[in-house]
């Protein structure tokens, strides 16, 4: 989760605005750590040497994480944001954080760029024509209604956009583990491709002792 902004080259779309004195914030944009912005919030879990994880966020300024956790009543949960358990609860926290930040004049930026993630999950898992995707869209529309109401008394404009589109596919899934996991050991079959991998909720990646050529 070391999402260094130095990995993203090129000018930022907000540079001119900030150069003119505008205050810019970013919430849950990948590769935003250390970004030249006035406010940043992004996941930064602490993985313990003994196993387990401490839920945490990277924030600029540093004290903002504690303020948000206090106002929202709970820390951000990475399990709801990333991996097989990802769901709308991550978006709940992010929307609460947006509204909380807008309500704190000492932190509220003039331009706040935010990613609301949950719609991606069900589009990818179930397809854009699925009932789950339609339900996820209804949840998103509820968030936008809340954000619009929060913007109104502050004379803020709300704009929503997508970074990509998702379409249905008839192709069989491709699994990068199929060629990698070819040694004996504590492995098991993984649906839907039937490849062998280390026991895990889903087939994402594996570490190879002797990867095939």
């Amino acid at each position: 989760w070391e999402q260094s902004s130095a990995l993203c080259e090129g000018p930022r779309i907000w540079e001119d605005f900030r150069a003119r004195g505008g205050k810019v914030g970013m919430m849950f944009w990948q590769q935003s750590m250390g970004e030249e912005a006035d406010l940043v919030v992004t996941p930064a879990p602490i993985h313990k040497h003994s196993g387990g994880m401490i839920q945490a966020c990277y924030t600029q300024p540093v004290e903002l994480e504690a303020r948000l956790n206090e106002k929202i009543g709970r820390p951000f949960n990475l399990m709801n944001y990333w991996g097989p358990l990802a769901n709308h609860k991550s978006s709940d926290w992010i929307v609460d954080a947006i509204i909380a930040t807008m309500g704190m004049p000492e932190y509220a930026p003039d331009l706040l760029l935010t990613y609301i993630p949950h719609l991606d999950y069900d589009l990818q898992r179930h397809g854009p024509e699925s009932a789950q995707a339609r339900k996820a869209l209804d949840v998103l529309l509820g968030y936008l209604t809340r954000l619009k109401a929060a913007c109104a008394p502050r004379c803020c404009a709300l704009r929503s956009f997508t970074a990509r589109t998702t379409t249905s596919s008839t192709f069989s899934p491709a699994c990068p583990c199929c060629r990698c996991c070819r040694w004996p050991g504590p492995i098991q079959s993984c649906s839907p491709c039937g490849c062998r991998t280390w026991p895990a909720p889903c087939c994402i990646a594996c570490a190879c002792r002797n990867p095939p050529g």
Side-chain angles (χ1 to χ4, degrees), residues 71-180:
K71 286 186 172 292
I72 297 171
R74 62 191 185 281
F76 181 75
N77 188 336
L78 184 75
M79 298 298 100
N80 297 327
Y81 179 77
W82 192 266
L85 302 180
N87 59 68
H88 69 88
K89 292 180 182 179
S90 58
S91 296
D92 289 346
W93 196 96
I94 293 170
V95 171
D96 287 344
I98 296 168
I99 295 172
T101 299
M102 293 172 63
M104 295 187 284
E106 66 272 33
Y107 297 115
D110 303 305
L111 173 65
L112 180 57
L113 305 166
T114 308
Y115 171 54
I116 299 177
H118 80 281
L119 186 59
D120 275 352
Y121 309 148
D122 285 331
L123 286 173
Q124 294 169 14
R125 282 190 288 227
H126 306 290
E129 306 302 325
S130 66
Q132 293 92 335
R134 288 192 291 271
K135 183 177 179 180
L137 178 59
D138 288 340
V139 172
L140 176 62
L141 294 176
Y143 293 143
L144 295 179
T145 299
R146 286 186 61 200
L147 291 172
K148 184 177 180 180
C151 286
R154 298 173 177 83
C155 299
C156 298
L158 176 67
R159 297 289 182 269
S160 61
F161 60 92
T162 180
R164 56 185 173 273
T165 59
T166 303
T167 59
S168 299
S169 173
T170 58
F171 292 100
S172 299
C175 179
C177 298
C178 290
R179 289 201 52 174
C180 295

